Amino acid sequence: MKTIFITGASSGLGKATAKLFHAKGWNVIATMRNPEKETELSNLNNVTLLPLDVTNYGQIQSTVQKALALSDIDVVFNNAGYGLIGPLESFNDDQITKQLNTNLLGVIRVTNAFIPYFRERKSGLFISTTSIGGLISFPLGSVYHATKWGLEGWSESMAYELNPFGVHIKTVSPGGIKTEFLHGSLDSATKPEYEAMTQSLFASVDTMFEMASTAEQIADVVYEAATDGKIQLRYVAGEDAKALYKQRQEQGDEVFRAAFGKQFLGA
């Protein structure tokens, strides 16, 4: 029985992925900040809950060691993350640091904790949730995009580093997911000078999310990435994401960027 280790498994895509892999006969180690509050995954056989705040370096080390003591691990799914939306000058340093620590450094640190184990086994797969926001940029998402574009570039470089040892790395880049992301897994701020821009953006994004995928649909792509045996770095997930990415590739960066700005900000 294969085992997957998942971060951010308390809700949304992380929970949907845990349930899907469990249904497919996998052993699941589902991690989250407060596992004692989880009532659904805790009732499933072959699902183990462990505490993990990916901004806590010491807890990363201890939780990874606990997981490896429980089971051989075949796939690590780095999924924990959230959005920080608003003009850069409206954020305090704690908000910026938390976004980088969670979305970027958390993935890097969890991955690094597993690399020696996978390298010695000469097998293993890392999958990270990036975003269509790691391939294109929306207005007022600068720090969020810094983390997601960072993960895409980091993953591409890591593939060269890991592949000679039989270890692989992949990204799943979803568009909108019909979860609590917009109104739950989101931190935002603004300033009066940006109020019209912010309102325009959120109105456009709310409309755009009407075309979003379900968490279960994106979980299917994670399962595909975990099981298809392909040496493929990037999986664009969701019809909205595929359409946007294709549009950017066809139009070129500058034409696409100008049209995107008008779509969201009206200018």
Side-chain angles (χ1 to χ4, degrees):
M1 180 183 292
K2 288 192 171 185
T3 300
I4 184 171
F5 178 99
I6 303 173
T7 70
S10 64
S11 62
L13 177 58
K15 178 178 275 191
T17 300
K19 291 165 68 175
L20 174 61
F21 276 75
H22 168 264
K24 296 287 189 179
W26 285 55
N27 183 39
V28 177
I29 299 177
T31 72
M32 59 198 72
R33 283 176 295 179
N34 299 295
E36 67 280 0
K37 295 181 180 179
E38 173 56 44
T39 58
E40 189 174 2
L41 296 178
S42 59
N43 292 321
L44 299 178
N45 293 328
N46 300 318
V47 175
T48 301
L49 304 185
L50 291 178
L52 181 58
D53 177 346
V54 298
T55 68
N56 184 329
Y57 180 81
Q59 192 176 53
I60 290 172
Q61 307 309 310
S62 61
T63 295
V64 168
Q65 290 309 309
K66 287 177 187 175
L68 291 174
L70 288 169
S71 174
D72 288 335
I73 293 173
D74 301 279
V75 177
V76 172
F77 179 37
N78 286 303
N79 173 70
Y82 71 100
L84 177 63
I85 304 299
L88 179 62
E89 67 172 291
S90 69
F91 301 140
N92 60 49
D93 194 63
D94 287 344
Q95 287 176 299
I96 295 169
T97 301
K98 182 182 176 183
Q99 178 80 143
L100 293 168
N101 275 339
T102 303
N103 287 14
L104 181 59
L105 293 179
V107 174
I108 291 172
R109 287 167 174 160
V110 169
T111 299
N112 204 23
F114 277 105
I115 286 175
Y117 169 76
F118 279 168
R119 179 172 47 75
E120 289 170 13
R121 287 183 76 202
K122 300 189 185 311
S123 69
L125 172 63
F126 296 103
I127 302 173
S128 297
T129 303
T130 58
S131 167
I132 189 60
L135 303 171
I136 64 174
S137 293
F138 294 76
L140 302 180
S142 62
V143 183
Y144 174 76
H145 289 299
T147 66
K148 295 303 187 178
W149 283 65
L151 282 179
E152 289 287 353
W154 170 79
S155 299
E156 190 166 309
S157 181
M158 285 300 298
Y160 296 114
E161 193 170 310
L162 296 174
N163 289 171
F165 298 102
V167 181
H168 298 281
I169 190 164
K170 299 182 175 188
T171 66
V172 172
S173 308
I177 304 177
K178 293 175 182 175
T179 67
E180 71 295 334
F181 181 84
L182 265 188
H183 303 290
S185 299
L186 185 68
D187 187 12
S188 63
T190 191
K191 295 186 73 171
E193 297 88 341
Y194 297 93
E195 192 62 42
M197 189 183 297
T198 302
Q199 290 181 1
S200 177
L201 174 74
F202 274 100
S204 298
V205 169
D206 274 325
T207 300
M208 188 177 178
F209 263 69
E210 293 173 4
M211 300 176 287
S213 303
T214 64
E216 289 73 20
Q217 287 172 317
I218 304 302
D220 285 338
V221 180
V222 177
Y223 186 78
E224 175 189 350
T227 59
D228 65 7
K230 295 180 181 178
I231 302 177
Q232 175 179 329
L233 174 67
R234 189 166 287 121
Y235 292 72
V236 180
E239 294 308 310
D240 56 343
K242 291 176 182 177
L244 282 172
Y245 192 44
K246 181 180 180 182
Q247 186 179 347
R248 177 162 186 148
Q249 290 177 313
E250 290 176 347
Q251 292 180 347
D253 289 352
E254 295 306 322
V255 172
F256 176 85
R257 192 173 64 84
F260 218 48
K262 289 179 180 178
Q263 177 182 342
F264 283 96
L265 303 179

